[in-house]
Amino acid sequence: MKKYITLSVLLTALGANCQVGIKTTNPQEGVHVGGANSTVRIEGLNAANNTNNLGVGNSSRVYIDANGDLVLGSKDNNIEILFDAENYLKDDKENVNNVIQHGYGDGYTYAGIPRDIPNSTFTLTRPAIVEINYSVSWNIEKNANLRVGDSYARVVQTLLYFRQGSYVGPVVTTDLEGNLIGGAFEIDGGTSTLGGGLGITGQYYSNGATGTGEIENFHNTGSDYVKLPPGTYCPMFSAQLAVTDTSGSGAMKMYLGTANDEVQIIAHYYN
């Protein structure tokens, strides 16, 4: 059975206690709705009455304006796809940084160069929670062009990071609030420790026959979120190739961007 609270009763409660309780006899705030599954409905914000409501099957963000009123953000200021690139990195492995294997973890190397450098950046005009989604290709070779065949299991890990302004700009290591992004990771064999790693992911590679087995067209995929201030950013990649024993296996190298690579950047605005 539904219960209706008349305006006179509500005003009486306000005058007596300065607090209103719905489904509770002990209100803790000006208006307190009790019950673990209780919800609040405002008809002025529903799809029939408000054009900023995204409709059935979607959720619309509610903001608080300067007067303290609850309002719906418009479709434009909620979510925006800022960057959506296919085949993002150059395929020419001889002209990009290669990744040398290490006998330990955290040996990340900057790798890969954007194919279309003038269009490899995106710009935030206001603070946002930035969502990253990527799929980056790689291949692994022995002595530059032979198949690996020592049966060792290798870990291939990749991450995405941002540079400011362009693909040669400074690495973005902290978020909007000054916190280190994604923790620290070693670069180029442990010569320095930087923040900035996002969407860290990996897989194993092993092959026991020198003349057989795939060496290319593998992909790592990753997703992550970071809060960034306004600015221009360029998505870039770093990777590591780790094996427990490097002795006697030859010069193993890994290359990023040997096939199609996809990068998608989505801004989730909150003010």
Side-chain angles (χ1 to χ4, degrees), residues 3-163:
K3 296 181 179 179
Y4 299 91
I5 302 177
T6 64
L7 181 60
S8 60
V9 173
L10 183 60
L11 291 175
T12 301
L14 283 170
N17 302 317
C18 295
Q19 292 175 315
V20 175
I22 302 173
K23 292 187 177 180
T24 178
T25 58
N26 184 28
Q28 302 298 307
E29 299 293 343
V31 177
H32 183 166
V33 181
N37 298 317
S38 297
T39 58
V40 176
R41 174 173 295 184
I42 302 175
E43 292 190 353
L45 301 183
N46 66 22
N49 296 317
N50 196 309
T51 58
N52 289 324
N53 190 297
L54 298 181
V56 177
N58 296 281
S59 295
S60 304
R61 295 194 177 192
V62 176
Y63 296 83
I64 300 176
D65 66 12
N67 297 320
D69 298 333
L70 301 179
V71 296
L72 286 181
S74 68
K75 298 177 179 64
D76 293 334
N77 65 17
N78 279 279
I79 299 175
E80 182 181 8
I81 298 178
L82 297 176
F83 193 83
D84 194 4
E86 296 182 2
N87 204 9
Y88 180 61
L89 298 178
K90 288 185 177 180
D91 294 344
D92 186 1
K93 67 182 182 182
E94 300 303 327
N95 294 320
V96 299
N97 299 329
N98 59 67
V99 181
I100 306 298
Q101 75 174 3
H102 298 285
Y104 52 86
D106 294 330
Y108 281 87
T109 301
Y110 295 135
I113 297 176
R115 174 185 302 276
D116 184 6
I117 290 176
N119 298 307
S120 63
T121 62
F122 66 92
T123 299
L124 279 177
T125 58
R126 52 196 171 116
I129 297 172
V130 173
E131 175 186 350
I132 69 158
N133 300 291
Y134 75 83
S135 174
V136 63
S137 61
W138 55 271
N139 77 338
I140 181 172
E141 299 177 355
K142 176 181 179 180
N143 299 323
N145 59 6
L146 300 176
R147 284 174 168 79
V148 177
D150 57 14
S151 298
Y152 290 155
R154 289 170 170 79
V155 178
V156 178
Q157 289 185 294
T158 57
L159 58 84
L160 183 146
Y161 68 97
F162 293 121
R163 289 185 179 270

